[in-house]
């Protein structure tokens, strides 16, 4: 790693980035002795013509992973140390950054043997809790409900989990922004006009959380999976045995990278170590009504080792 002192330096996911692309979402730092990852713009057209085709979105090679988002950009992630982006449309900078902070970051973390979970993470009693689930399960909305009750925010979308030298799972803070749909913003009585839209023609917004952002690594104490329930009942259950491993695999961010990249053994070892260190719970929540505050109450009770409610 080289010594640098210049602008375009950022800190996120426990890593220092030197970037040719501006990231208003990330924490900007003025100087750094070391750079973990460089992000630069470069023409990837020829390499995509060599390795990609119209039927393939992702290309996985030993030293680089390549993918293309039509009308947005081509991306290349190399050995956990470099991200190259080749913009197709210069006027879609927000979307270019969206994939850099999402798919690229998930790939980069895997290459560095850091587990990226898909969900939101919040701090409770000085420890990190990961809230995972399928799309629409209510991860970000539940995290937002925690923030409105004074809790602190760690990450949204990609949760970085590494093992320290004692095999303790550690969550590194991402950046002070979460994403909420218009429906959730309405439920919280917020005004979407105050926030920047994330997707063109879609009602999802970037919500700054600077004042409640955790800027240091925290031990992972639990993983809570949210599952939508067709009836009006809640239920919280502890996940046991091999189902814990499957749950972690299901909610690993961009888990389709794991097998073609030859990371199955690493993922199994990491998941097993996490399962030995933390408890996993599944919460079934009603689908037809707003339940974020009910979920926070159940999660806090569980984190405080109170009686587990079975619906």
């Amino acid at each position: 790693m080289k010594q640098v002192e210049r602008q375009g330096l950022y800190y996120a996911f426990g890593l220092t980035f030197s970037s040719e692309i501006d990231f208003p979402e990330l924490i900007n730092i003025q100087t750094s002795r070391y750079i973990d990852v460089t992000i630069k713009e470069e023409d990837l057209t020829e390499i995509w013509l060599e390795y990609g085709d119209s039927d393939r979105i992702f290309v996985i090679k030993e030293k680089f992973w390549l993918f293309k988002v039509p009308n947005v950009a081509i991306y290349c992630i190399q050995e956990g140390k470099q991200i190259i982006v080749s913009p197709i449309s210069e006027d879609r900078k927000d979307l270019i950054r969206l994939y850099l902070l999402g798919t690229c970051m998930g790939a980069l973390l895997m290459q560095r043997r850091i587990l990226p979970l898909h969900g939101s993470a919040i701090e409770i009693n000085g420890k990190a809790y990961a809230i995972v689930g399928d799309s629409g399960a209510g991860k970000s909305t539940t995290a937002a409900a925690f923030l409105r009750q004074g809790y602190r925010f760690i990450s949204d979308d990609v949760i970085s989990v590494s093992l320290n030298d004692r095999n303790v799972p550690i969550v590194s803070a991402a950046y002070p922004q979460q994403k909420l749909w218009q429906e959730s913003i309405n439920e919280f009585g917020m005004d979407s006009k105050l926030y920047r839209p994330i997707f063109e023609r879609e009602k999802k917004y970037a919500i700054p959380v600077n004042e409640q952002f955790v800027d240091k690594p925290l031990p992972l104490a639990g993983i809570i999976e949210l599952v939508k329930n067709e009836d009006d009942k809640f239920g919280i259950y502890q996940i046991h045995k091999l189902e814990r491993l499957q749950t972690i695999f299901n909610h690993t961010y961009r888990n389709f990278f794991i097998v073609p990249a030859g990371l199955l053994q690493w993922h199994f070892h990491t998941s097993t170590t996490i399962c030995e260190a933390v408890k996993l719970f599944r919460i079934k929540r009603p689908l037809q009504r707003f339940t974020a505050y009910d979920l926070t109450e159940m999660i806090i009770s569980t984190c405080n080792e109170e009686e587990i409610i079975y619906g």
Side-chain angles (χ1 to χ4, degrees), residues 81-143:
K81 298 177 181 178
Q82 185 176 76
I83 299 174
I84 302 171
V85 56
S86 176
I88 297 173
S89 175
E90 291 289 349
D91 62 352
R92 311 193 79 179
K93 292 182 179 180
D94 283 0
L95 274 176
I96 289 171
R97 294 200 313 275
L98 183 69
Y99 286 97
L100 280 168
L101 294 174
T103 301
C104 286
M105 209 56 61
L108 180 89
L109 292 174
M110 282 192 201
Q111 289 179 348
R112 298 181 71 92
R113 304 305 188 263
I114 299 172
L115 180 70
L117 288 176
H118 186 197
S120 296
I122 45 92
E123 178 193 23
I124 302 175
N125 300 330
K127 297 180 180 179
Y129 286 81
I131 303 170
V132 301
D134 294 337
S135 178
K139 304 180 292 293
S140 296
T141 303
T142 303

Side-chain angles (χ1 to χ4, degrees), residues 7 53 66 143 163 177 225 234 276:
Q7 296 297 318
D53 57 54
L66 193 69
L163 301 176
Q177 175 186 286
E225 179 190 38
F234 282 96
E276 291 172 350

Side-chain angles (χ1 to χ4, degrees), residues 161-208:
V161 185
S162 58
L163 301 176
N164 67 11
D165 55 4
R166 292 176 294 143
N167 276 337
V168 175
I170 302 295
V171 175
S172 295
Y175 52 94
Q177 175 186 286
Q178 71 167 170
K179 298 182 282 290
L180 288 179
W181 291 101
Q182 180 73 61
E183 180 182 7
S184 296
I185 287 176
N186 293 343
E187 292 286 357
F188 287 124
M190 301 161 65
D191 185 356
S192 61
K193 294 178 182 178
L194 301 176
Y195 306 109
R196 177 178 59 83
I198 292 177
F199 298 113
E200 296 176 351
R201 299 182 299 277
E202 290 193 51
K203 295 184 178 181
K204 197 171 192 179
Y205 297 86
I207 314 296

